[in-house]
Amino acid sequence: MPQQEVETITASTYGYIRVSTKDQNEDRQLIAMRELAVAEKNIFMDKQSGKDFRRPQYQRMVKKLKPEDLIYVKSIDRLGRNYEEILEQWRILTREKRVDIAVLDMPLLDTRRGKDLMGTFLSDIVLQVLSFVAENERTNIRQRQAEGIAAAKARGVRFGRPPVPLPENFCQIHMEWRSKRITLKEAANACSMPVGTFYAKAVRLENEH
């Protein structure tokens, strides 16, 4: 009798890239994936803000995964926005999907290195420490930004769009309005402004003087 052929399923290698805004450059992560010979069709990339974390390409990749596949990520914070989310994604990938993960910036985070209990234990400890450090650094960055903005405001630095200069006839119209020679609506029309805008600028002018 002919021997029955057994179908073998080969493992695939994937690369996941995420940049937090559409203005960030993904070249560094992309070059790293190509140096590892990850097939272009297996490189998935999301460009999204921190507020929008649906990550359609990441979800597409996860649906393709099968046991013993391998995922490369450049750094641990590509997997999530915060400590809890990174740990949750790691759990889903390694325990539910049963795939391997290799974090390029941290060689200790490579699930291929130790499949025994001690290897898994050490990997989990390193993961939790690095996830906490990544989230703590993001918190510190936001705090430094807030402190920098507060200090700049204290020095008189103004943020946002520069104010639109007042029309040349504003002061004259303002005096006529305050003298009740014209109405507020007439004054606003004379300066080509909405009534509310004219009134707000008039009050600001008076407070400055």
Side-chain angles (χ1 to χ4, degrees):
M1 295 179 62
Q3 186 176 3
Q4 185 177 2
E5 293 186 2
V6 178
E7 183 180 358
T8 58
I9 301 176
T10 58
S12 300
T13 301
Y14 295 90
Y16 179 65
I17 297 171
R18 180 175 67 83
V19 288
S20 57
T21 68
K22 292 186 177 179
D23 293 330
Q24 277 188 329
N25 195 310
E26 68 279 2
D27 287 350
R28 188 173 68 96
Q29 297 178 66
L30 197 55
I31 290 170
M33 299 303 167
R34 287 171 176 164
E35 288 177 348
L36 292 164
V38 180
E40 292 289 333
K41 66 178 182 178
N42 287 349
I43 297 176
F44 292 82
M45 178 170 57
D46 283 308
K47 287 188 177 185
Q48 294 177 293
S49 68
K51 294 181 180 179
D52 181 5
F53 212 68
R54 290 172 297 172
R55 299 192 297 171
Q57 294 303 311
Y58 178 79
Q59 299 302 331
R60 277 189 60 208
M61 181 187 71
V62 170
K63 287 180 181 179
K64 288 177 172 288
L65 296 175
K66 58 186 182 297
E68 298 186 8
D69 282 349
L70 170 65
I71 302 172
Y72 285 114
V73 292
K74 190 74 171 69
S75 57
I76 190 61
D77 59 357
R78 300 304 87 190
L79 289 179
R81 290 171 296 184
N82 53 48
Y83 174 69
E84 291 82 6
E85 197 162 49
I86 291 170
L87 292 179
E88 176 65 10
Q89 291 304 314
W90 189 275
R91 183 192 65 79
I92 290 172
L93 294 172
T94 59
R95 298 183 184 175
E96 293 185 10
K97 292 291 184 177
R98 292 183 292 140
V99 300
D100 282 314
I101 306 174
V103 180
L104 302 181
D105 286 350
M106 179 53 63
L108 282 174
L109 283 179
D110 187 336
T111 57
R112 299 169 298 175
R113 286 181 172 271
K115 296 294 186 180
D116 58 0
L117 182 61
M118 181 56 70
T120 302
F121 176 69
L122 290 175
S123 181
D124 284 349
I125 288 178
V126 173
L127 170 67
Q128 293 194 40
V129 171
L130 288 178
S131 299
F132 174 78
V133 169
E135 181 180 6
N136 194 53
E137 179 59 21
R138 284 192 293 270
T139 301
N140 289 339
I141 289 173
R142 288 194 295 268
Q143 182 176 347
R144 289 195 294 268
Q145 288 174 339
E147 290 172 352
I149 290 171
K153 286 182 176 179
R155 296 195 305 269
V157 176
R158 293 186 178 182
F159 294 88
R161 295 179 180 177
V164 178
L166 295 174
E168 293 182 1
N169 64 341
F170 186 85
C171 291
Q172 179 62 36
I173 298 298
H174 171 258
M175 291 176 58
E176 293 182 9
W177 168 61
R178 280 304 187 191
S179 301
K180 297 185 178 180
R181 291 197 291 270
I182 58 176
T183 65
L184 176 60
K185 185 175 182 179
E186 289 171 338
N189 289 339
C191 293
S192 302
M193 293 180 179
V195 170
T197 301
F198 177 87
Y199 183 81
K201 290 185 178 294
V203 170
R204 186 179 298 121
L205 181 67
E206 292 164 6
N207 289 337
E208 289 175 354
H209 292 82

